[in-house]
Amino acid sequence: GAGVSQSPSNKVTEKGKDVELRCDPISGHTALYWYRQSLGQGLEFLIYFQGNSAPDKSGLPSDRFSAERTGGSVSTLTIQRTQQEDSAVYLCASSPPSYNEQFFGPGTRLTVL
Amino acid sequence: AQSVTQLDSQVPVFEEAPVELRCNYSSSVSVYLFWYVQYPNQGLQLLLKYLSGSTLVESINGFEAEFNKSQTSFHLRKPSVHISDTAEYFCAVIHSGGYQKVTFGTGTKLQVIP
C-alpha cells in the first residue's frame, strides 16, 4: 500500500516568508509525528498528534512553528516568518495504534535564503 | 526520560569487512529498540526492531542487533559489508508501555570503502 507522502519535496523561500509543509500519513495510522533533521544533526522531535489532537508539542522550537491535523489524516506544519536557521529537512512519520514502529515519509527539504 | 547514545558519528570500513555500530540507551522503564537506515537523499527506513522475545534480531539484508539489558546496549552488526550499505544509521528507543515520543540517537554514518 501507499506509504507516508510529503509535499513539496523541496521548498526554497526567502527569509521572512511563511511556508506550509504537508504530510499524508498511511491510512489507518492514528499517530503522526513531525521531526526536523538539520545538516550534521540527528533527528529533532517537533510535535506528535494522536488523532487530531497534539498531546506533545514540546519540540516546537518557537511560536513561529505550528501544526494542525484534520480528519485524523493530513497534517500541515506551518513556519511563519522563516529564518535561515529553519533550513532543514522536515520529516513526517506515522504509526499504527500499537505505537511500536514509525513509518517515515521522504521529507521536505526547506531552504531559507 | 530516555536517551540514546551513538558514540561513533562516522565509521569507515572496507568492503567485505565486518562492522559494528554502537548504541547505548538509558531508560527507567521497559523499552522497544529500533535501528533505522537513511540512504543518501532518502527518508528513514526501519532496518530492524526489538520488541520482546529473542534478544537477537535480524534484518533481511544481513544486519543483526542484540538487545543486552544488563549493558543497556543494542549494537548493530554485519559480518561482511557491501558498498550499498553506505548510509546513515539511527538507533531509537520508545517506551513500551504506550505513547512516548521516539528518542533517536544522533546517527552513525557508515562509509564502505571499495
Side-chain angles (χ1 to χ4, degrees):
Chain A
V4 178
S5 61
Q6 292 185 247
S7 61
S9 56
N10 279 283
K11 177 71 175 179
V12 180
T13 191
E14 294 179 348
K15 178 181 174 181
K17 299 284 189 181
D18 297 351
V19 295
E20 284 191 352
L21 312 180
R22 177 187 169 106
C23 173
D24 283 88
I26 293 172
S27 177
H29 281 195
T30 53
L32 185 147
Y33 308 78
W34 283 98
Y35 297 89
R36 179 167 71 175
Q37 187 176 26
S38 303
L39 188 63
Q41 303 293 317
L43 284 156
E44 177 186 5
F45 168 81
L46 298 178
I47 189 170
Y48 152 72
F49 285 93
Q50 176 59 31
N52 292 335
S53 64
D56 191 346
K57 305 178 183 179
S58 62
L60 294 177
S62 75
D63 58 8
R64 295 187 295 105
F65 287 72
S66 63
E68 65 175 14
R69 189 180 185 194
T70 56
S73 180
V74 172
S75 177
T76 303
L77 177 68
T78 301
I79 309 173
Q80 295 178 310
R81 305 181 302 283
T82 52
Q83 304 294 313
Q84 288 183 332
E85 59 263 30
D86 299 335
S87 296
V89 176
Y90 288 81
L91 293 168
C92 174
S94 68
S95 66
S98 59
Y99 295 120
N100 63 26
E101 181 178 343
Q102 294 191 352
F103 295 80
F104 282 83
T108 293
R109 183 175 297 278
L110 175 65
T111 304
V112 182
L113 302 176
Chain B
Q2 56 205 22
S3 65
V4 179
T5 302
Q6 292 181 252
L7 288 174
D8 305 308
S9 59
Q10 295 191 48
V11 174
V13 62
F14 286 105
E15 192 173 15
E16 298 184 2
V19 69
E20 178 180 85
L21 306 183
R22 295 180 293 169
C23 172
N24 287 87
Y25 70 94
S26 67
S27 176
S28 57
V29 297
S30 297
V31 295
Y32 295 143
L33 294 155
F34 306 84
W35 276 99
Y36 284 85
V37 58
Q38 187 176 32
Y39 297 104
N41 300 313
Q42 295 187 28
L44 274 77
Q45 304 172 33
L46 181 69
L47 185 62
L48 47 75
K49 62 182 177 182
Y50 170 78
L51 304 180
S52 64
S54 172
T55 56
L56 183 67
V57 291
E58 298 177 350
S59 71
I60 59 173
N61 59 352
F63 282 92
E64 64 178 30
E66 185 162 20
F67 169 54
N68 188 319
K69 188 174 181 179
S70 63
Q71 297 185 2
T72 61
S73 68
F74 192 55
H75 301 330
L76 182 69
R77 303 183 181 95
K78 188 170 185 179
S80 176
V81 295
H82 189 268
I83 291 289
S84 60
D85 293 325
T86 294
E88 189 160 16
Y89 293 79
F90 293 90
C91 183
V93 61
I94 187 172
H95 173 212
S96 63
Y99 169 69
Q100 288 278 341
K101 63 177 181 281
V102 179
T103 301
F104 285 86
T106 51
T108 298
K109 291 183 179 178
L110 174 64
Q111 182 183 3
V112 180
I113 304 165

